[in-house]
Amino acid sequence: MSKKLPVVLDLETKYTFREFPDHKNLGVSVVAVYDYAEGRSHAFIEKDISKLFPILERSSYIVGFNVQSFDLPVLGTYYPGSIAHFETFDILEDIRSKLGRRLALNDLLNATLGKRKSGHGLMAIDYYKEGKIEELIRYCIDDVMLTKDIFDYGVKFGEVFYLNERGKNQIKVDWKKYLEDAGKKETPLTLPF
């Protein structure tokens, strides 16, 4: 068996917390991943979401931005096993543990890479409600690739940046292990291959 590698994950929901305050009622409109093992991205609309699970089950880590508090609890309503079995690395939580506060992904992207997200989550919900599925998929894949870009930068350079009133500030990170480590837990396979 080849070495297990991480996936970067992002998903968009059909509804907002204002409409449904519980994660399990938000519904997935689209979920996208960048799979390091294959070197490419995939996107799945809700009806095809079961095709995502083999990719997650063979990954070492699920990497994301706010993945522990948002993406995985939403995805957990679709996954036939326990979502808690997956090893995760949450960029947002790592930054919060270092700074004592949260930063937006755009803050990291702008200061570190000079890039910005192509929109915001509420726009993705509008795409879904308006039936603009291709735009929705493009937006979600774009978010995954931007999250991958910030993760790759942190892996390579051991730092990322953010801006405040004093200018550009460095955050030292130790993310290389999440790209090199095969993960500690064995995820029980819940799907036939």
Side-chain angles (χ1 to χ4, degrees):
M1 184 172 177
S2 62
K3 181 182 177 200
K4 290 176 81 173
L5 293 168
V7 297
V8 178
L9 181 140
D10 183 64
L11 64 76
E12 302 304 329
T13 60
K14 298 194 256 185
Y15 307 105
T16 66
F17 278 122
R18 185 169 288 175
E19 293 168 293
F20 295 102
D22 190 337
H23 287 92
K24 69 180 181 215
N25 297 323
L26 295 177
V28 172
S29 59
V30 64
V31 59
V33 292
Y34 178 84
D35 185 352
Y36 279 90
E38 293 183 8
R40 69 185 198 100
S41 61
H42 303 271
F44 305 94
I45 58 174
E46 185 182 37
K47 73 177 182 64
D48 297 326
I49 207 164
S50 64
K51 295 175 184 173
L52 165 70
F53 301 140
I55 296 169
L56 299 182
E57 289 176 343
R58 69 175 179 259
S59 71
S60 57
Y61 288 91
I62 298 174
V63 176
F65 195 87
N66 201 23
V67 73
Q68 289 175 335
S69 297
F70 183 73
D71 301 78
L72 290 180
V74 173
L75 193 60
T77 61
Y78 294 84
Y79 186 64
S82 171
I83 213 85
H85 285 295
F86 292 109
E87 293 274 355
T88 61
F89 171 61
D90 194 323
I91 295 170
L92 175 66
E93 288 303 313
D94 189 59
I95 297 297
R96 188 193 57 72
S97 74
K98 290 171 173 47
L99 289 184
R101 63 186 176 91
R102 296 164 58 114
L103 289 177
L105 180 58
N106 260 341
D107 294 339
L108 294 172
L109 289 168
N110 188 29
T112 307
L113 303 170
K115 295 181 178 182
R116 294 194 76 70
K117 288 174 44 128
S118 59
H120 53 80
L122 294 178
M123 186 180 78
I125 291 171
D126 289 341
Y127 282 155
Y128 169 75
K129 290 181 177 177
E130 294 165 10
K132 297 179 178 176
I133 303 306
E134 288 307 312
E135 289 93 331
L136 176 61
I137 290 169
R138 245 189 330 271
Y139 169 77
C140 193
I141 289 175
D142 186 46
D143 263 14
V144 160
M145 296 310 291
L146 289 169
T147 304
K148 176 193 177 293
D149 289 348
I150 202 75
F151 175 67
D152 286 346
Y153 188 96
V155 165
K156 184 174 181 179
F157 297 105
E159 62 186 8
V160 291
F161 298 92
Y162 69 100
L163 298 171
N164 67 11
E165 60 282 348
R166 292 186 305 258
K168 193 171 182 175
N169 297 279
Q170 175 193 61
I171 306 168
K172 286 290 210 184
V173 297
D174 181 23
W175 296 350
K176 188 180 277 191
K177 61 187 171 195
Y178 298 107
L179 190 57
E180 295 176 346
D181 180 25
K184 290 156 194 61
K185 291 186 202 172
E186 276 302 310
T187 304
L189 302 180
T190 60
L191 302 170
F193 288 96

